[in-house]
Every structure is written in structure tokens, then in C-alpha cells.
Amino acid sequence: MKRIATILLAIAIIAMPSCKNSNNKTKEEAPDYAQATIDELTSDALETDMANLIESAKKIKSVPFAKAQKDGKLHLTEKEKMVKPDYLLDPAYASSLVTLNQKYRAVGMLTSDKSIAELYEMPVVSYSESIFKLLTDINDPALMEFYTLPSYDIETNKEAFSIFVDDEYAAGRINYFWEGVAAGMVEQVFILTRNIDKFMPMFTDETASEITYNFVCVHDGLTKTVNATPEMASLNEILEPLYVINAINVEQLRSQLEELKDEVEVARKALLM
């Protein structure tokens, strides 16, 4: 596992530096490591690229459901709360999961769903119990520490996420890290497509463009790891239809979510298998 993680990390180091300025960089600016040996990929000469990769990963942000509630940008009337969402995952499904890949995905997805359940004043004990059981089964200290934070802190605590990224990379869990991050992203976008009129007012042009940033970075990372493990190839294939997201403002994000509603649902179902 440690050797695979090292290889994955080395291959991925070219992925993220371009994410910070994804609209301005050209493909030819990225070094071509396709024919490089493992020794070359792990050489000290790539330390700068390694640092850029990690720093770019730290800039990925969740859809700010909890923050929008706190700021008053996302509010449900008592009448709206009476109509409970029927699209959230049943927390019980987590008990049937076997692989670490599945469990990392489930943590990201159930955490997102829990925030919506709280918004609708639904019982969330089952969500908390399933998430904690998954975290215990996975036995990843960094994951446990980060995902036991309150929802608002997960969205807004940059320092906590930065530490989480550093610890996951240091532990050689790059592939599992991306499984959880990607699944959480898809679940959040799926939620948005279920009620676009209700959720879009919480976005600014800046936060709308962050959705694009997230997908660009994950795409870059996964496309550089698909030859290393079958799991990364499978995840990249699932996300492929969503890589067309390139919104830089609220209007574009709304339009793209409306167009991609079916594709998002298909991707979400695939992540649950």
C-alpha cells in the first residue's frame, strides 16, 4: 500500500499546480512525465511540484450549505420544512459497504446529506451514527479528526482542512483522500440540482466559480493517476461527464446544473455501487 501511495503521489504531482490559474495556463506549460521512471517521478527535483499539488488541494471548498443557513442566505419556511427531501441517502446503506474506497465515498456523501437533513429539521442521529461507524472502520486519524467537526467548521475552517490534506498525504492515503473529496463534491452538486431555485440564492459569482475550481483540480489529479490503480480509473470515468462544468458566475452555474441534472444523478448512483 505504501509503495502504491508513493507512486500515486508522484504521478499526481503534475496535476494540481495549474489549478490555481486554470483559466490562464496552457497545456504545454505542464511537464510531461508520461515516460518518466518511478525514480525520476520521486526525485528531489520535483519537491516544488509536490508543494504546489498539496497547496492546490487545500483550496478545494465545500458547497456552503451550513454557512448560508447561518448567514440567512438559505432559509426554509415552516411550510417548506414539512415537505421532507426524498433524495437523501438512507444512512443504513453504509452498513453494507465493504471496501475502503466505498467507505471513504460514503463519509463525504453522508456528511453532505446530514447538513440538508438538519436544514429540514429531520432526525440526524442515524446520520451521525453511520458516519462515526464508517470513520471507526476506516481507522484514519486525520479523517476522523476532520469529519467529526461540526458542519459549519468543515465548510469554513481552512486551517482544519489544510491539516487534513497534509496528514492524508503524509500517511500515503492520496487515493482514498480523492475518493472521499470527489464523492462529497458530487453529492453536493446532486443536492443543488434537486432544488435549484432554493439553493442558488446562496451563491455569489465567487462561490459559483469555486465549483468549477473543484472539478478542474480533481480532474487534473485523477487523470494523472488512472494508470496507477483501477480504482482511480473507475472514479475518473464516473466523473468524466461532469468535467464540462466551467461556470465563472451564478448565472452560468445555474444553467450548467440544469443541463447536467441527469448526468449528475447517474454519477451519484455509480459512486454508490
Side-chain angles (χ1 to χ4, degrees), residues 119-188:
L119 175 65
Y120 280 87
E121 298 182 356
M122 298 166 61
V124 295
V125 173
S126 59
Y127 282 96
S128 298
E129 291 177 346
S130 289
I131 293 169
F132 187 75
K133 183 180 184 305
L134 286 167
L135 292 172
T136 302
D137 290 345
I138 291 171
N139 191 27
D140 178 344
L143 189 75
M144 173 70 81
E145 184 171 353
F146 183 69
Y147 275 97
T148 50
L149 291 171
S151 297
Y152 181 77
D153 286 342
I154 286 179
E155 290 182 6
T156 62
N157 194 326
K158 295 180 180 179
E159 181 179 1
F161 187 67
S162 177
I163 292 171
F164 172 51
V165 174
D166 284 335
D167 289 349
E168 288 294 81
Y169 274 78
R173 292 179 178 258
I174 177 176
N175 52 331
Y176 296 125
F177 169 78
W178 287 114
E179 290 277 4
V181 168
M185 281 169 41
V186 172
E187 186 69 4
Q188 291 160 17

Side-chain angles (χ1 to χ4, degrees), residues 10-269:
I11 294 175
I13 58 177
I14 66 168
M16 304 299 285
S18 63
C19 292
K20 294 180 182 179
N21 298 290
S22 59
N23 292 328
N24 297 322
K25 293 269 187 175
T26 59
K27 291 183 179 180
E28 59 267 24
E29 288 177 310
D32 181 8
Y33 296 120
Q35 305 302 319
T37 66
I38 294 302
D39 288 341
E40 289 171 339
L41 287 171
T42 57
S43 68
D44 291 341
L46 298 178
E47 286 184 357
T48 299
D49 285 335
M50 174 81 74
N52 287 336
L53 166 64
I54 295 174
E55 289 308 310
S56 293
K58 292 175 183 179
K59 294 181 183 297
I60 291 177
K61 297 181 181 179
S62 299
V63 174
F65 292 116
K67 185 177 187 299
Q69 293 175 52
K70 184 175 181 179
D71 295 346
K73 294 180 180 179
L74 181 57
H75 173 74
L76 296 180
T77 65
E78 292 304 315
K79 183 177 181 179
E80 287 175 319
K81 291 177 184 178
M82 293 175 63
V83 183
K84 307 302 183 184
D86 59 2
Y87 51 80
L88 302 181
L89 295 172
D90 180 353
Y93 101 96
S95 63
S96 65
L97 303 180
V98 178
T99 69
L100 280 176
N101 302 76
Q102 293 173 325
K103 292 179 180 181
Y104 271 84
R105 292 178 184 183
V107 170
M109 298 172 84
L110 288 175
T111 300
S112 300
D113 283 7
K114 179 183 175 183
S115 67
I116 302 303
E118 290 172 334
L119 175 65
Y120 280 87
E121 298 182 356
M122 298 166 61
V124 295
V125 173
S126 59
Y127 282 96
S128 298
E129 291 177 346
S130 289
I131 293 169
F132 187 75
K133 183 180 184 305
L134 286 167
L135 292 172
T136 302
D137 290 345
I138 291 171
N139 191 27
D140 178 344
L143 189 75
M144 173 70 81
E145 184 171 353
F146 183 69
Y147 275 97
T148 50
L149 291 171
S151 297
Y152 181 77
D153 286 342
I154 286 179
E155 290 182 6
T156 62
N157 194 326
K158 295 180 180 179
E159 181 179 1
F161 187 67
S162 177
I163 292 171
F164 172 51
V165 174
D166 284 335
D167 289 349
E168 288 294 81
Y169 274 78
R173 292 179 178 258
I174 177 176
N175 52 331
Y176 296 125
F177 169 78
W178 287 114
E179 290 277 4
V181 168
M185 281 169 41
V186 172
E187 186 69 4
Q188 291 160 17
V189 173
F190 171 77
I191 290 169
L192 295 177
T193 65
R194 297 304 97 181
N195 195 341
I196 293 178
D197 290 337
K198 173 55 64 175
F199 292 127
M200 289 311 296
M202 72 180 185
F203 282 94
T204 63
D205 287 346
E206 180 180 359
T207 55
S209 67
E210 287 170 357
I211 302 296
T212 295
Y213 176 91
N214 291 349
F215 277 101
V216 168
C217 287
V218 170
H219 186 197
D220 282 348
L222 296 184
T223 53
K224 299 304 186 289
T225 63
V226 293
N227 292 324
T229 67
E231 291 84 359
M232 292 296 95
S234 174
L235 180 60
N236 193 53
E237 184 177 353
I238 289 171
L239 296 179
E240 190 71 38
L242 308 186
Y243 292 149
V244 297
I245 294 176
N246 62 356
I248 60 173
N249 56 47
V250 175
E251 182 180 356
Q252 289 180 1
L253 181 61
R254 170 189 281 274
S255 176
Q256 291 176 16
L257 290 178
E258 290 173 342
E259 293 176 2
L260 293 170
K261 182 176 180 179
D262 292 343
E263 285 82 354
V264 171
E265 185 171 6
V266 170
R268 190 232 201 183
K269 287 181 179 178

